Amino acid sequence: MRLVVVGADGRMGKMLIRAVAEAEGCTLSAAIEREGSDAIGHDAGTLAGLHPLGVPVTDDPLTAFAASDGVLDFTVPAATVMFSELAAQARIVHVVGTTGLSEDDLAKLRAAAYHARIVRSGNMSLGVNLLAALVKRVAAALGPEFDIEIAEMHHRMKVDAPSGTALLLGEAAAAGRGVDLADVRVSTRDGHTGARKPGDIGFATLRGGSVVGDHSVIFAGAGERITLSHHAEDRSLFAAGAVKAALWAHPKPPGLYSMTDVLGL
Ligand SMILES: NC(=O)C1=CN([C@@H]2O[C@H](COP(=O)(O)OP(=O)(O)OC[C@H]3O[C@@H](n4cnc5c(N)ncnc54)[C@H](OP(=O)(O)O)[C@@H]3O)[C@@H](O)[C@H]2O)C=CC1
Ligand SMILES: O=C(O)C1=N[C@H](C(=O)O)C[C@H](O)C1
């Protein structure tokens, strides 16, 4: 499968270049960065700390997508929406790891999925997606007398909050309770907030240092607490998940898929 990495010079972009170069059945067909990036013209392999791969970084996604079967995209929301439109035109696979997408962005991805095979997830790791399945079951089993709080910590450079993973886990908890996350989500608390509203799902965001990604879902009842946690130790696990998603989606019809579909959870 011929795969393009967009955002090639990013933290995840470099991981994705390595993952594609090392994966069986995949070749790196192109590497894309934004116009004006210092990475343009550099060899993608060298950029990622590998041997040269003979693939120079360019700012021309249109040409790259036309000669590829799929795109791995961990960039920023505006770029991801633009890439989904190009992936739809080229009828290829678009794996979206980008987080912080708005409702409007998601609607555009749904439209692109009429022609592209899009796999989107706030977290591409097996562990987190398994955790989400467990959270859904625990939320359904415990009932509303247990308060649900989700805590996450990431490195100091992360730009969106709550994390995509925290929201994915919140969606799982809400689904377990049979409610919409939008109706019960509390993402900020400051000052005299009053007592916690029954049924709320709260989010707490920590940022600092080089933390790859820590998430905990806390079920707090009267006199007891259950905490389900995941700690990501290396970004390569997200990159490996993205390559797996691309290979999975290659023979599928157009549509919007998740890692739950890919992993069969
Ligand atoms: N779903 C998952 O499993 C995971 C998701 N993520 C998400 O992936 C995203 C990226 O994270 P991370 O790698 O840490 O961030 P980085 O900022 O390190 O990387 C993003 C890259 O995208 C580039 N970029 C921005 N706009 C464009 C454009 N129009 N065309 C091409 N490239 C562009 C940036 O370039 P420049 O800096 O020059 O603007 C940068 O190199 C975040 O949303 C993060 O939350 C991260 C890890 C796992
Ligand atoms: O920005 C990151 O780094 C990460 N982003 C994803 C998220 O928002 O949950 C996944 C992972 O936790 C790392």
Side-chain angles (χ1 to χ4, degrees):
M1 185 174 188
R2 297 166 302 166
L3 291 171
V4 191
V5 171
V6 294
D9 196 25
R11 277 176 290 276
M12 278 304 300
K14 295 186 194 100
M15 288 288 166
L16 291 163
I17 291 168
R18 272 182 244 167
V20 173
E22 285 160 12
E24 233 174 84
C26 298
T27 55
L28 186 73
S29 50
I32 303 295
E33 254 301 334
R34 61 168 179 76
E35 214 181 311
S37 163
D38 289 344
I40 305 292
H42 288 262
D43 184 273
T46 315
L47 193 71
L50 299 172
H51 57 275
L53 293 171
V55 178
V57 177
T58 80
D59 59 3
D60 180 9
L62 198 62
T63 305
F65 286 22
S68 301
D69 304 304
V71 49
L72 306 181
D73 176 358
F74 290 59
T75 58
V76 294
T80 290
V81 167
M82 183 259 293
F83 291 135
S84 75
E85 283 157 11
L86 295 181
Q89 282 171 33
R91 307 293 200 257
I92 62 175
V93 170
H94 186 191
V95 176
V96 177
T98 309
T99 56
L101 296 158
S102 66
E103 278 309 315
D104 189 44
D105 296 332
L106 291 172
K108 287 177 179 154
L109 254 57
R110 280 193 290 276
Y114 281 107
H115 299 298
R117 286 146 278 159
I118 300 182
V119 182
R120 185 185 80 87
S121 178
N123 197 302
M124 299 281 170
S125 76
L126 170 63
V128 158
N129 286 282
L130 192 57
L131 177 67
L134 295 174
V135 164
K136 185 174 171 183
R137 285 189 64 179
V138 175
L142 288 178
E145 66 279 14
F146 277 78
D147 299 324
I148 303 178
E149 293 284 312
I150 299 173
E152 56 112 332
M153 182 160 188
H154 283 86
H155 54 95
R156 62 167 71 99
M157 300 306 288
K158 185 159 176 65
V159 294
D160 56 306
S163 69
T165 308
L167 292 171
L168 181 159
L169 295 169
E171 296 281 1
R177 282 195 165 166
V179 297
D180 273 345
L181 180 61
D183 297 333
V184 293
R185 170 178 167 175
V186 177
S187 300
T188 52
R189 291 191 184 107
D190 190 19
H192 189 84
T193 61
R196 190 182 198 285
K197 228 170 74 211
D200 278 352
I201 296 181
F203 291 84
T205 299
L206 305 176
R207 293 286 176 265
S210 58
V211 179
V212 173
D214 287 353
H215 293 89
S216 292
V217 182
I218 302 154
F219 296 86
E224 59 179 342
R225 225 175 324 137
I226 299 165
T227 304
L228 300 178
S229 296
H230 180 268
H231 304 279
E233 293 172 358
D234 191 322
R235 287 186 179 83
S236 62
L237 92 156
F238 307 131
V243 171
K244 189 181 185 119
L247 289 165
W248 177 89
H250 196 194
K252 296 282 182 294
L256 184 55
Y257 302 98
S258 71
M259 277 311 274
T260 308
D261 300 315
V262 174
L263 298 168
L265 294 171

